[in-house]
Amino acid sequence: MMSGKKQQTYAKNEVTNWPVPNYWDGLALILVLAIIALLGVGAKAMLGRYQLGQVLPISLDPSNLPYYALRSLLRMLLALLCSLFFTFVFGTWAAKSRQAERIIIPMIDILQSVPVLGYLSITLVAFVVFFRGSMLGPECAAIFTIFTAQVWNMTLSFYQSVANVPEELKEAARVFQLNAWQQFWRIEVPFAMPGLIWNMMMSMSGSWVFLVASEAMSVANQHIMLPGIGSYIDLAIRQQDNHALIWVIVAMFVIILMYDQLIFRPLVAWAEKFNVEESGDEVFPESWVLNLFQRTRFFQYAGLFLSALGDRVVNLRVLPKRSARNTVMVSSRMRLWVSIAWNALLCVLIVYSGYCLYHFIFNVIPLRDALHVVYLGGITLCRVLAVILISGIIWVPIGIWIGLRPKV
């Protein structure tokens, strides 16, 4: 039997449904406030003043590395969010429409082969002019450059998952009469989530390669060095400071460890519930961050509130329901005319592009130079194929070994 005072407290909690925080809430609150404070410091620096030609000082003092790491990490996270939005839009569009697939997938294959300086030479001037007098100009150019290093494999992964949703899941969507909006969030996104998170981790790792070029930018006789890990590496290499390079390698290791533990490890453990494949292994990925929030009371309550809000957004009826007969008739006619118009447009674009290419090769540049470019492209292709072959020989067995041993 409970005492009268305990019964009153219990009844009050039952009526208000307001959780009583525990000490796990205190630890989680400290972690959340620390992350918000750090992101706030980085965001404030990104909104400063900047004039074209202004020199931003970069120091090789190791004490500046935490601040530089914060600026670089914030750019990478913003680029990752932009990549995620692009993935949801264009990956879904390519998976749902054959006409769009014919354009989007080849364009992704082409765009992911464009060198980073090819994007930077165009976007830097555009962003600096658009955000005249603001640090947002070069910051957005750097973020866009990192975005081009992250987005392509995320989009291809999501497109592949959405295009291969099992028929039993589609049948479940029809049984529950889900509209396209609900099916996207209830069926397709959860099914694609495990693979998407792993590709997000790969994209985040791949963006380190572009960090130097995105933060130490040289375009049109303008040299801009944004405070960050990339600029620090660029300056250390130019000054041949080996001690600075050792310090920056240590800093990169710490950054990778932090965002792995704070972001990707919790996401991998959380996305395990969306995995439709049955596994005989009893070892599941865990995360101390996820375990911390699961032991809280207030944050669990806040999570339930956000989940209910998300359900309302997902359950929106965007379009009114139509009769099945009219839908089939209109859909078949629309698909026929859209397919004809789309194929005609593609033919016109291909012919026009071929004409422009012919005019450029035979009237603007000498034929000898054009053949030399083809020769250089062939050499580059051989190098790329050799790297793919060597990487496959080395890393495929290692990947299989890791995949068959969850503890590893």
Side-chain angles (χ1 to χ4, degrees):
M1 296 293 292
M2 291 187 296
S3 64
K5 188 174 182 179
K6 288 185 177 180
Q7 286 180 348
Q8 291 177 1
T9 304
Y10 181 79
K12 184 177 179 180
N13 290 336
E14 283 294 309
V15 173
T16 60
N17 290 326
W18 189 259
V20 178
N22 54 19
Y23 66 92
W24 296 107
D25 285 286
L27 294 176
L29 182 62
I30 293 174
L31 178 62
V32 170
L33 291 179
I35 294 175
I36 293 176
L38 290 175
L39 294 180
V41 171
K44 182 180 179 181
M46 294 177 65
L47 300 175
R49 303 291 300 172
Y50 175 80
Q51 296 295 334
L52 192 62
Q54 177 182 346
V55 178
L56 301 174
I58 303 296
S59 172
L60 293 182
D61 187 352
S63 62
N64 294 318
L65 274 175
Y67 175 71
Y68 292 162
L70 174 64
R71 296 287 297 272
S72 296
L73 182 60
L74 186 58
R75 295 184 189 110
M76 295 168 71
L77 290 177
L78 290 174
L80 191 67
L81 291 177
C82 296
S83 301
L84 194 61
F85 177 78
F86 183 97
T87 296
F88 281 163
V89 174
F90 289 93
T92 305
W93 191 9
K96 297 286 186 178
S97 171
R98 290 188 177 180
Q99 288 77 18
E101 180 186 16
R102 295 174 184 175
I103 292 294
I104 294 175
I105 301 304
M107 286 301 298
I108 289 177
D109 288 335
I110 295 172
L111 292 174
Q112 68 180 345
S113 303
V114 176
V116 60
L117 294 179
Y119 294 111
L120 197 58
S121 60
I122 301 174
T123 57
L124 178 60
V125 177
F127 281 121
V128 169
V129 171
F130 185 78
F131 295 102
R132 188 181 301 273
S134 174
M135 184 64 73
L136 281 176
E139 288 285 357
C140 288
I143 292 171
F144 182 81
T145 305
I146 299 172
F147 163 84
T148 61
Q150 296 178 346
V151 67
W152 313 123
N153 69 307
M154 289 174 57
T155 305
L156 291 175
S157 169
F158 191 76
Y159 151 77
Q160 188 70 20
S161 298
V162 174
N164 292 280
V165 174
E167 284 298 327
E168 54 267 23
L169 295 180
K170 296 180 181 179
E171 182 64 27
R174 287 190 289 267
V175 169
F176 288 102
Q177 298 182 349
L178 302 182
N179 58 24
W181 177 257
Q182 293 171 321
Q183 181 175 337
F184 176 75
W185 290 109
R186 298 291 189 192
I187 302 294
E188 295 163 354
V189 171
F191 177 76
M193 189 58 65
L196 179 60
I197 290 177
W198 283 106
N199 277 275
M200 288 169 61
M201 297 172 64
M202 293 176 57
S203 296
M204 196 74 167
S205 302
S207 59
W208 285 103
V209 180
F210 293 82
L211 202 59
V212 174
S214 63
E215 293 182 349
M217 299 173 280
S218 297
V219 177
N221 297 323
Q222 295 291 334
H223 190 63
I224 303 175
M225 295 186 68
L226 296 175
I229 294 292
S231 297
Y232 190 96
I233 295 175
D234 179 73
L235 185 60
I237 292 174
R238 287 193 284 111
Q239 295 188 3
Q240 299 181 359
D241 192 333
N242 294 328
H243 290 90
L245 290 174
I246 294 175
W247 278 109
V248 79
I249 291 173
V250 173
M252 292 171 62
F253 177 80
V254 173
I255 297 169
I256 293 172
L257 181 64
M258 288 179 60
Y259 72 63
D260 175 74
Q261 292 297 314
L262 296 177
I263 299 176
F264 290 119
R265 187 63 56 182
L267 287 177
V268 169
W270 169 76
E272 188 65 25
K273 64 181 181 180
F274 300 123
N275 197 345
V276 298
E277 298 179 358
E278 295 184 359
S279 176
D281 297 323
E282 296 182 356
V283 180
F284 298 99
E286 293 186 358
S287 167
W288 64 269
V289 175
L290 194 61
N291 293 337
L292 171 63
F293 282 93
Q294 287 176 345
R295 292 171 181 173
T296 61
R297 294 177 183 172
F298 175 78
F299 283 97
Q300 286 277 19
Y301 180 82
L304 293 176
F305 174 77
L306 294 176
S307 178
L309 183 63
D311 288 338
R312 294 198 175 198
V313 174
V314 170
N315 291 327
L316 287 176
R317 294 288 179 176
V318 182
L319 297 175
K321 298 183 68 174
R322 295 175 294 181
S323 63
R325 181 179 180 182
N326 292 336
T327 301
V328 172
M329 293 179 62
V330 173
S331 177
S332 59
R333 291 177 182 176
M334 285 295 296
R335 287 180 181 177
L336 177 62
W337 286 108
V338 168
S339 178
I340 294 175
W342 187 260
N343 291 330
L345 178 62
L346 287 181
C347 292
V348 172
L349 289 176
I350 291 173
V351 172
Y352 179 73
S353 299
Y355 170 77
C356 292
L357 183 63
Y358 174 84
H359 182 269
F360 179 76
I361 292 176
F362 291 98
N363 294 318
V364 178
I365 62 174
L367 179 61
R368 182 177 180 180
D369 292 345
L371 294 176
H372 184 63
V373 170
V374 174
Y375 167 74
L376 295 177
I379 295 177
T380 302
L381 177 62
C382 292
R383 294 194 184 106
V384 172
L385 292 177
V387 170
I388 292 175
L389 179 62
I390 295 173
S391 300
I393 293 174
I394 296 175
W395 291 107
V396 169
I398 295 177
I400 294 174
W401 176 68
I402 295 173
L404 294 178
R405 291 166 175 81
K407 291 183 178 180
V408 177

